[in-house]
Amino acid sequence: MASAAPANDLPLFYNQLEPLSSQTHGSWKARNMDAPTFLVGTHAVPLTVEEFAPASRFYPIVFSLGDQPVPLALMALNEGVNTFVGPDGRFTNDAYIPAYIRRYPFMLARLNPNAEELSLCFDPSSGTIGEFEEGDALFADGKPTEVVGNILAFCEQFEQAGQRTSQFMKELADHKLLMDGEVTIQPEGADQPFIYRGFQMVNEDALKEMRGDTARKLIKSGVLPLIYAHLFSLALIRDIFARQMEQGKIPAQPLRVDA
């Protein structure tokens, strides 16, 4: 249910990656992405820990499978579905927009595995950066404009938040607080329930059995409030299911969905 793996080795949404350069892109401009169509078939988007509070008002927060799980905001329960955007990719209500979405088509990346510094890169297939007549100039007199400075600052903040998120996930793993998740929903009038798997969640029993000194450390480090934001957000899974039902995006027959 909650896999967010891209079809290639690049992160979700990114089809290509090219370093931004004053020599190559000196006359290029950036324009707003009015309709992010890449969201239409995206049911789960990565989150950073700083976003748990605002995101938990709108989305269930779960964790991906695998050895290096990441927090995910669920925008639907089935792959290929997004209940928060219309056919053109525009949000249909005033839901919180995760920073991962707002960062696209830019990101910081190492140009080669041995590079120590991260370079500002972009996805040239996004259609928002190019030699346009309209838009915000990326360079002036061979130097980055304020636009590029703001983009770079946002990407740096995102990377820092990502490091704090990795530390949070390490805390969950170290204390063995994650378990495989499962949600069963029995719609009225349906002969069989919908069973959703393919994600991880915090084990509340393990949380209750945690030693007092360990719990105090998690409170002091800010981990425990994040855990409860995640747990409280799980109640929204049924709301997301209801949204899918209203939008006609539920499979014709109840089935088990394993990502």
Side-chain angles (χ1 to χ4, degrees):
M1 176 181 78
S3 64
N8 50 36
D9 292 334
L10 294 175
L12 178 69
F13 302 152
Y14 295 83
N15 299 306
Q16 303 173 42
L17 211 55
E18 182 176 333
L20 188 65
S21 165
S22 60
Q23 295 180 344
T24 307
H25 313 111
S27 62
W28 285 29
K29 296 179 179 179
R31 59 189 181 188
N32 292 330
M33 184 176 293
D34 294 329
T37 54
F38 57 83
L39 283 177
V40 174
T42 302
H43 76 298
V45 175
L47 281 178
T48 64
V49 288
E50 279 86 348
E51 302 179 275
F52 275 32
S56 65
R57 296 170 52 208
F58 302 96
Y59 314 111
I61 300 172
V62 299
F63 306 101
S64 61
L65 299 176
D67 296 332
Q68 295 181 318
V70 298
L72 298 170
L74 291 183
M75 295 183 166
L77 303 185
N78 295 89
E79 292 190 11
V81 176
N82 190 319
T83 65
F84 286 86
V85 301
D88 60 355
R90 298 177 188 270
F91 276 77
T92 54
N93 60 2
D94 293 329
Y96 174 77
I97 302 178
Y100 190 95
I101 297 172
R102 289 181 275 126
R103 180 184 64 160
Y104 183 81
F106 296 95
M107 69 175 293
L108 292 176
R110 287 182 173 82
L111 297 183
N112 63 71
N114 297 322
E116 294 184 4
E117 294 184 353
L118 297 174
S119 299
L120 182 60
C121 301
F122 69 98
D123 183 351
S125 72
S126 68
T128 62
I129 304 170
E131 294 185 280
F132 309 132
E133 293 184 4
E134 299 180 353
D136 298 318
L138 297 173
F139 298 95
D141 298 325
K143 297 181 179 180
T145 63
E146 183 179 357
V147 171
V148 172
N150 291 337
I151 292 170
L152 180 59
F154 182 85
C155 289
E156 288 174 342
Q157 292 169 6
F158 186 88
E159 288 299 316
Q160 293 165 5
Q163 294 173 11
R164 290 188 287 271
T165 303
S166 296
Q167 181 58 39
F168 168 73
M169 297 306 303
K170 183 178 183 301
E171 293 275 8
L172 296 185
D174 289 347
H175 296 293
K176 297 180 173 54
L177 290 176
L178 285 179
M179 69 176 189
D180 289 342
E182 180 176 308
V183 175
T184 301
I185 300 177
Q186 179 72 55
E188 185 176 353
D191 295 332
Q192 301 177 37
F194 287 80
I195 303 176
Y196 290 98
R197 296 192 181 98
F199 65 98
Q200 294 187 87
M201 58 186 290
V202 168
N203 185 335
E204 291 191 67
D205 290 335
L207 192 62
K208 293 175 183 176
E209 295 172 0
M210 187 176 294
R211 290 174 41 176
D213 58 340
T214 302
R216 284 191 294 273
K217 289 180 181 178
L218 294 184
I219 293 173
K220 188 175 181 179
S221 66
V223 169
L224 205 55
L226 295 171
I227 289 175
Y228 281 114
H230 148 68
L231 290 173
F232 291 147
S233 76
L234 296 179
L236 294 174
I237 287 180
R238 297 183 183 278
D239 292 344
I240 299 297
F241 182 88
R243 291 174 67 95
Q244 286 195 210
M245 290 285 285
E246 292 172 0
Q247 296 175 13
K249 296 177 180 178
I250 291 290
Q253 297 294 328
L255 47 79
R256 295 160 69 107
V257 179
D258 298 320

